[in-house]
Amino acid sequence: MMGDALRILLVEDEALVAMLVEDALVLHGHIVTGIADTRAEALALAEADRPDLALCDVRLAHGDCGRGVAATLAERGIPCLFLSGNCPDVADHPLILGCVAKPFQAAALDRVIDAVLVRLAGKMPERVPAELRFY
Protein backbone atom coordinates (compact mmCIF):
# COMPACT_ATOMS: atom_id res chain seq x y z
CA MET A 1 0.00 0.00 0.00
CA MET A 2 2.87 2.37 0.67
CA GLY A 3 3.42 4.99 -1.96
CA ASP A 4 -0.13 5.16 -3.29
CA ALA A 5 -0.84 8.81 -4.05
CA LEU A 6 -4.29 9.84 -2.94
CA ARG A 7 -6.27 12.87 -4.02
CA ILE A 8 -7.31 14.44 -0.72
CA LEU A 9 -9.79 17.21 0.09
CA LEU A 10 -8.94 19.08 3.27
CA VAL A 11 -11.84 20.59 5.22
CA GLU A 12 -10.22 22.77 7.88
CA ASP A 13 -10.96 26.35 8.97
CA GLU A 14 -7.68 27.08 10.77
CA ALA A 15 -5.32 28.30 8.05
CA LEU A 16 -2.12 27.33 9.88
CA VAL A 17 -3.37 23.79 10.57
CA ALA A 18 -4.52 23.49 6.95
CA MET A 19 -1.08 24.56 5.67
CA LEU A 20 0.76 22.13 7.96
CA VAL A 21 -1.50 19.23 6.98
CA GLU A 22 -1.26 20.12 3.29
CA ASP A 23 2.55 20.28 3.49
CA ALA A 24 2.71 16.88 5.21
CA LEU A 25 0.38 15.28 2.65
CA VAL A 26 2.25 16.72 -0.34
CA LEU A 27 5.59 15.71 1.20
CA HIS A 28 4.32 12.11 1.22
CA GLY A 29 3.27 12.29 -2.42
CA HIS A 30 -0.44 12.96 -2.04
CA ILE A 31 -2.37 15.57 -4.01
CA VAL A 32 -4.49 18.08 -2.09
CA THR A 33 -7.45 18.80 -4.37
CA GLY A 34 -8.54 21.78 -2.31
CA ILE A 35 -8.87 23.33 1.13
CA ALA A 36 -12.32 24.33 2.34
CA ASP A 37 -13.33 26.09 5.53
CA THR A 38 -17.12 25.89 5.10
CA ARG A 39 -19.66 23.23 4.17
CA ALA A 40 -20.61 24.94 0.89
CA GLU A 41 -16.99 25.27 -0.19
CA ALA A 42 -16.19 21.65 0.73
CA LEU A 43 -19.14 20.29 -1.26
CA ALA A 44 -18.35 22.53 -4.26
CA LEU A 45 -14.70 21.43 -4.27
CA ALA A 46 -15.67 17.75 -3.99
CA GLU A 47 -18.10 18.16 -6.88
CA ALA A 48 -15.56 19.95 -9.08
CA ASP A 49 -12.67 17.59 -8.44
CA ARG A 50 -13.68 14.33 -6.77
CA PRO A 51 -11.17 13.34 -4.07
CA ASP A 52 -10.24 9.80 -2.95
CA LEU A 53 -10.46 10.88 0.68
CA ALA A 54 -11.60 13.89 2.70
CA LEU A 55 -9.97 14.97 5.95
CA CYS A 56 -12.54 16.97 7.93
CA ASP A 57 -12.36 19.09 11.03
CA VAL A 58 -15.52 18.81 13.16
CA ARG A 59 -15.92 22.52 13.90
CA LEU A 60 -15.75 24.77 10.84
CA ALA A 61 -16.03 28.47 10.03
CA HIS A 62 -19.41 30.23 10.20
CA GLY A 63 -20.77 27.60 12.61
CA ASP A 64 -20.66 24.85 9.99
CA CYS A 65 -20.38 21.30 11.26
CA GLY A 66 -17.75 18.98 9.81
CA ARG A 67 -19.84 15.95 10.82
CA GLY A 68 -22.53 17.05 8.37
CA VAL A 69 -19.95 17.70 5.67
CA ALA A 70 -18.42 14.26 6.21
CA ALA A 71 -21.84 12.58 6.13
CA THR A 72 -22.76 14.32 2.86
CA LEU A 73 -19.41 13.44 1.27
CA ALA A 74 -19.74 9.84 2.49
CA GLU A 75 -23.23 9.62 0.95
CA ARG A 76 -21.56 10.63 -2.33
CA GLY A 77 -19.07 7.77 -1.97
CA ILE A 78 -16.12 9.78 -0.65
CA PRO A 79 -14.43 8.23 2.40
CA CYS A 80 -13.79 10.66 5.26
CA LEU A 81 -11.54 10.89 8.27
CA PHE A 82 -11.97 13.46 11.02
CA LEU A 83 -9.01 15.57 12.17
CA SER A 84 -10.37 17.17 15.31
CA GLY A 85 -9.91 18.13 18.92
CA ASN A 86 -13.52 16.98 19.33
CA CYS A 87 -13.60 13.46 17.89
CA PRO A 88 -17.17 12.16 17.62
CA ASP A 89 -17.80 8.89 19.46
CA VAL A 90 -19.53 7.31 16.48
CA ALA A 91 -19.66 7.70 12.73
CA ASP A 92 -22.81 8.79 10.92
CA HIS A 93 -21.95 6.69 7.84
CA PRO A 94 -19.80 3.58 7.11
CA LEU A 95 -17.45 5.66 4.90
CA ILE A 96 -16.62 7.90 7.86
CA LEU A 97 -13.67 5.79 8.89
CA GLY A 98 -12.32 7.31 12.06
CA CYS A 99 -10.72 10.29 13.77
CA VAL A 100 -7.25 11.66 14.39
CA ALA A 101 -7.29 13.70 17.58
CA LYS A 102 -5.71 17.16 17.55
CA PRO A 103 -3.07 18.07 18.35
CA PHE A 104 -1.12 15.54 16.28
CA GLN A 105 2.27 15.51 14.61
CA ALA A 106 1.96 16.24 10.90
CA ALA A 107 4.52 13.49 10.28
CA ALA A 108 2.03 10.95 11.68
CA LEU A 109 -0.33 11.61 8.76
CA ASP A 110 1.66 9.32 6.47
CA ARG A 111 1.11 6.35 8.82
CA VAL A 112 -2.54 7.35 9.24
CA ILE A 113 -3.12 7.48 5.46
CA ASP A 114 -1.41 4.08 5.02
CA ALA A 115 -3.72 2.58 7.67
CA VAL A 116 -6.76 4.16 5.97
CA LEU A 117 -5.73 2.66 2.62
CA VAL A 118 -5.59 -0.80 4.19
CA ARG A 119 -9.01 -0.22 5.77
CA LEU A 120 -10.46 0.95 2.43
CA ALA A 121 -9.18 -2.28 0.89
CA GLY A 122 -11.48 -4.09 3.35
CA LYS A 123 -8.79 -5.22 5.79
CA MET A 124 -7.68 -4.13 9.24
CA PRO A 125 -4.12 -2.74 9.35
CA GLU A 126 -1.61 -4.75 11.36
CA ARG A 127 -0.65 -1.61 13.23
CA VAL A 128 -3.01 1.30 13.75
CA PRO A 129 -1.15 4.55 14.51
CA ALA A 130 -1.69 5.76 18.08
CA GLU A 131 -3.15 9.02 16.72
CA LEU A 132 -5.89 7.23 14.78
CA ARG A 133 -9.10 5.77 16.13
CA PHE A 134 -11.16 3.76 13.66
CA TYR A 135 -14.95 3.58 14.05
Side-chain angles (χ1 to χ4, degrees):
M1 279 294 170
M2 297 274 217
D4 288 355
L6 289 181
R7 298 168 46 70
I8 300 173
L9 172 62
L10 188 52
V11 185
E12 169 63 64
D13 65 336
E14 292 178 50
L16 185 60
V17 173
M19 287 189 326
L20 290 170
V21 171
E22 180 182 28
D23 286 350
L25 293 171
V26 170
L27 180 70
H28 294 294
H30 301 296
I31 298 156
V32 176
T33 61
I35 299 172
D37 64 357
T38 63
R39 173 185 175 83
E41 193 177 5
L43 298 180
L45 284 169
E47 193 69 31
D49 192 358
R50 186 181 173 87
D52 300 313
L53 177 69
L55 302 180
C56 297
D57 191 2
V58 171
R59 291 196 180 135
L60 300 173
H62 310 300
D64 283 357
C65 175
R67 287 185 75 161
V69 172
T72 301
L73 292 173
E75 286 165 12
R76 295 179 184 179
I78 299 168
C80 298
L81 188 67
F82 290 119
L83 302 180
S84 180
N86 307 73
C87 283
D89 292 328
V90 295
D92 301 320
H93 190 283
L95 280 178
I96 300 174
L97 303 171
C99 189
V100 176
K102 289 179 182 174
F104 57 86
Q105 296 291 324
L109 283 175
D110 197 38
R111 294 188 303 276
V112 166
I113 299 293
D114 285 341
V116 165
L117 283 170
V118 172
R119 187 70 182 264
L120 286 172
K123 303 181 184 103
M124 197 61 183
E126 289 176 26
R127 294 188 54 207
V128 176
E131 301 84 359
L132 173 61
R133 189 182 80 199
F134 279 122
Y135 292 129

